[in-house]
Amino acid sequence: MEVSKLPISATQRGKLISAGYTSLSSICSASSSDISRGTQTAWDMLQEEQESLARITTSCADLDNILGGGIGCREVTEIGGVPGIGKTQLGIQLAVNVQIPVEFGGLGGKAIYIDTEGSFMVERALQIAEACVEDMLEYNRFLRNDCQVKTQPKDILENIFYFRICSYTEQSAVINYLDKFVSEHKDVKVVIIDSIAFHFRHGFVDLALRTRVLSGIALKLMNLAKKFSLAVVLLNQVTTKYTEGSFQLCLALGDSWSHCCTNRLILYWNSNERHAYIDKSPYLRSASASYSVTSRGIRNSTSRSKRIKMMI
């Protein structure tokens, strides 16, 4: 039996998979000395807790609020939704925002963007980068800070390492290479895969093989997030599932895959407004928030902005 199917909490399941125990047989065959290697000191635990507090803003205050401040480091966050809902826009926004300097409340890191669909738009990334620099300048003026804004849009684009993937074998190879790449670029603080499912939805006759490949990928990504204290963001597509006599929309790759991520965020339409819902998290409560995709990137919903202006 796979660990992903055991009746245990998501936190416990994630810890077992991260430690390399992907099946019940692997746990049963582990010696007491193997298990004791996971022992930590209180200092190690404190350091890990402080590192996990580091978050990447989405540039939408309402969305950040339900996420506890933004996308967390040392975690794997899955973001799924229908086409046109803004998944790629959010991915590009995070690749830009991770570079906000520490003095402006950011991480001052770099980004890896793994594009499996060809949906990454460098012109859009430039637009969002320009808006990010303008926001920092505005922040300076508002607080009358003496901090200089040295970051330029060109610098932001140069700090996004882009990989174009054309097959699931290429995807597996790049993910295997990430450990070495990040070791050589330790300032990388986010890895974005857009999308994780694209090359695994078709062409797999052997579904058991697909499950094994995906489990291996999930394990490597979880280990990468913890080893380098970075955020892994997986954008996912939707598919239809026949349940209780009707077809329903659900995220691709099936139920077993859903156990491989720390957090799961579902993006959906509510009338003409975009919303995000926390579907799964070991510590965040289930909640939803509205957001907008604007020319400047991800922002608070237009209806919220109108309400604030009316109050002013």
Side-chain angles (χ1 to χ4, degrees):
M1 179 185 287
E2 295 177 7
V3 165
S4 61
K5 295 180 180 177
L6 292 177
I8 56 179
S9 71
T11 303
Q12 292 171 320
R13 195 181 294 115
K15 287 181 178 179
L16 286 171
I17 295 174
S18 296
Y21 301 108
T22 56
S23 65
L24 193 58
S25 60
S26 63
I27 297 173
C28 294
S29 62
S31 66
S32 57
S33 60
D34 288 333
I35 296 172
S36 66
R37 286 173 193 160
T39 304
Q40 293 177 295
T41 66
W43 175 253
D44 291 335
M45 292 170 67
L46 178 62
Q47 290 294 102
E48 284 190 5
E49 187 173 331
Q50 290 175 335
E51 288 170 349
S52 67
L53 293 175
R55 295 189 171 273
I56 308 167
T57 178
T58 64
S59 289
C60 172
D62 292 339
L63 188 49
D64 282 350
N65 186 44
I66 66 170
L67 289 168
I71 300 296
C73 290
R74 298 180 62 82
E75 298 175 347
V76 178
T77 300
E78 181 182 27
I79 301 174
V82 297
I85 196 66
K87 300 185 296 295
T88 296
Q89 302 286 329
L90 183 52
I92 294 173
Q93 186 76 63
L94 294 171
V96 169
N97 287 0
V98 74
Q99 302 182 49
I100 296 173
V102 175
E103 56 268 29
F104 289 92
L107 302 186
K110 295 180 181 179
I112 292 174
Y113 203 103
I114 299 174
D115 183 5
T116 68
E117 300 185 38
S119 54
F120 181 86
M121 300 160 286
V122 69
E123 297 84 2
R124 183 61 174 144
L126 179 60
Q127 275 185 326
I128 294 174
E130 289 171 342
C132 182
V133 172
E134 289 171 6
D135 287 344
M136 286 190 282
L137 290 168
E138 183 64 27
Y139 178 84
N140 249 2
R141 286 192 292 269
F142 179 74
L143 295 181
R144 297 179 180 176
N145 276 346
D146 294 328
C147 295
Q148 270 191 321
V149 179
K150 298 178 182 178
T151 307
Q152 296 300 315
K154 175 177 175 291
D155 303 325
I156 292 175
L157 293 186
E158 287 181 343
N159 289 333
I160 299 174
F161 301 109
Y162 177 80
F163 293 84
R164 178 70 173 100
I165 303 301
C166 297
S167 68
Y168 82 88
T169 52
E170 282 186 19
Q171 188 168 329
S172 298
V174 167
I175 289 171
N176 286 334
Y177 173 61
L178 285 180
D179 192 287
K180 181 177 186 298
F181 187 88
V182 178
S183 295
E184 297 168 354
H185 302 83
K186 293 188 182 295
D187 42 6
V188 167
K189 288 299 174 185
V190 67
V191 174
I192 300 156
I193 304 181
D194 181 11
S195 69
I196 187 67
F198 186 72
H199 292 301
F200 288 91
R201 292 187 65 180
H202 308 288
F204 264 94
V205 177
D206 187 346
L207 294 182
L209 172 62
R210 190 184 84 157
T211 300
R212 288 196 298 273
V213 172
L214 284 169
S215 296
I217 285 175
L219 177 61
K220 287 182 175 68
L221 291 173
M222 283 188 281
N223 287 337
L224 190 79
K226 292 183 178 180
K227 180 178 179 179
F228 296 103
S229 298
L230 54 78
V232 173
V233 177
L234 308 177
L235 307 183
N236 199 356
Q237 303 171 331
V238 295
T239 186
T240 52
K241 182 179 180 181
Y242 190 74
T243 306
E244 298 179 356
S246 63
F247 288 97
Q248 298 177 354
L249 284 178
C250 62
L251 296 194
L253 300 181
D255 294 333
S256 60
W257 172 257
S258 67
H259 302 304
C260 298
C261 305
T262 315
N263 306 301
R264 172 176 269 191
L265 191 66
I266 307 292
L267 308 183
Y268 64 97
W269 289 101
N270 184 1
S271 296
N272 293 323
E273 196 170 59
R274 291 176 169 92
H275 282 254
Y277 171 73
I278 296 177
D279 181 61
K280 170 206 159 186
S281 175
Y283 59 91
L284 295 171
R285 65 181 181 87
S286 295
S288 62
S290 58
Y291 67 97
S292 289
V293 177
T294 74
S295 60
R296 298 174 62 81
I298 304 297
R299 294 293 187 270
N300 283 329
S301 69
T302 52
S303 59
R304 180 181 187 272
S305 301
K306 287 177 183 177
R307 287 197 301 270
I308 291 172
K309 286 180 180 177
M310 287 175 66
M311 291 170 63
I312 295 172

